[in-house]
Amino acid sequence: IIFLIAFLINIIWEFCHCRLYSTCVNWPLKKRLLLLTFASFKDALFIVIFYLISIFPFENKNILANPLSFSYFVILSLFFSFIDEKISIKYKRWEYSSKMPKVFGVGITPLLELATTGTITFIIVFLIK
C-alpha cells in the first residue's frame, strides 16, 4: 500500500514540477509522460526502500510513531535526492529551466521530493485510515 500511494503522490508531484525542467518542456508529450511515469515509479520504490531501512532497527511499522525512525527516513531521502540530482545534472539526464529554484547546485523541488512525498504517504497510510 505504501508503494501504491507513494506512486500516486509522486505522479502528482512530477506533473506539477515538470515545468521547472527545460527537458520536460521541450520533449514531445509521449516521451515526457514516459519519463514522469518512470520517475514516479522509481521514487515510490525508493520511498519503500528508505521506509524499510528506517523502521528495521525499531520494530515499529508506523514510522510516524517513532521520531528517530522518521528522522532516518528524512535524512536518507534528502541525502539520496541530493546525490541523485547532482549525478543526473552532471550526466545531462535532464536540465533545469531558469524557473527552477536551486540550493547547493540542485533544484529545490527534486531535493525535497522524496522526503515530502514520503511524509504525505505515511500520513495517509498511518494517520488517515
Side-chain angles (χ1 to χ4, degrees):
I1 191 85
I2 290 173
F3 177 85
L4 179 61
I5 292 172
F7 176 77
L8 294 173
I9 298 210
N10 275 282
I11 264 275
I12 294 167
W13 183 287
E14 292 292 348
F15 276 88
C16 288
H17 88 144
C18 74
R19 289 175 262 132
L20 299 174
Y21 292 89
S22 59
T23 309
C24 285
V25 172
N26 297 328
W27 280 2
L29 180 60
K30 185 176 180 180
K31 191 172 181 179
R32 187 177 339 141
L33 290 175
L34 286 172
L35 172 68
L36 298 178
T37 303
F38 176 77
S40 300
F41 181 88
K42 178 188 77 131
D43 292 340
L45 185 62
F46 280 114
I47 286 171
V48 170
I49 291 168
F50 298 158
Y51 163 77
L52 292 172
I53 291 168
S54 299
I55 66 162
F56 180 74
F58 302 104
E59 299 178 10
N60 185 349
K61 292 181 182 177
N62 182 349
I63 194 169
L64 298 176
N66 185 330
L68 189 56
S69 181
F70 180 68
S71 296
Y72 281 173
F73 174 82
V74 170
I75 291 166
L76 191 57
S77 296
L78 291 172
F79 179 75
F80 173 81
S81 296
F82 181 80
I83 299 299
D84 185 49
E85 202 63 19
K86 279 289 206 185
I87 291 168
S88 296
I89 295 301
K90 179 180 179 179
Y91 290 105
K92 302 205 184 280
R93 291 182 192 148
W94 50 74
E95 294 179 6
Y96 300 139
S97 76
S98 59
K99 297 176 186 176
M100 174 67 83
K102 294 180 207 92
V103 60
F104 303 115
V106 301
I108 289 177
T109 60
L111 176 65
L112 298 177
E113 183 172 3
L114 291 179
T116 303
T117 59
T119 300
I120 294 168
T121 298
F122 302 144
I123 289 169
I124 291 169
V125 169
F126 296 112
L127 297 182
I128 305 172
K129 296 181 180 178

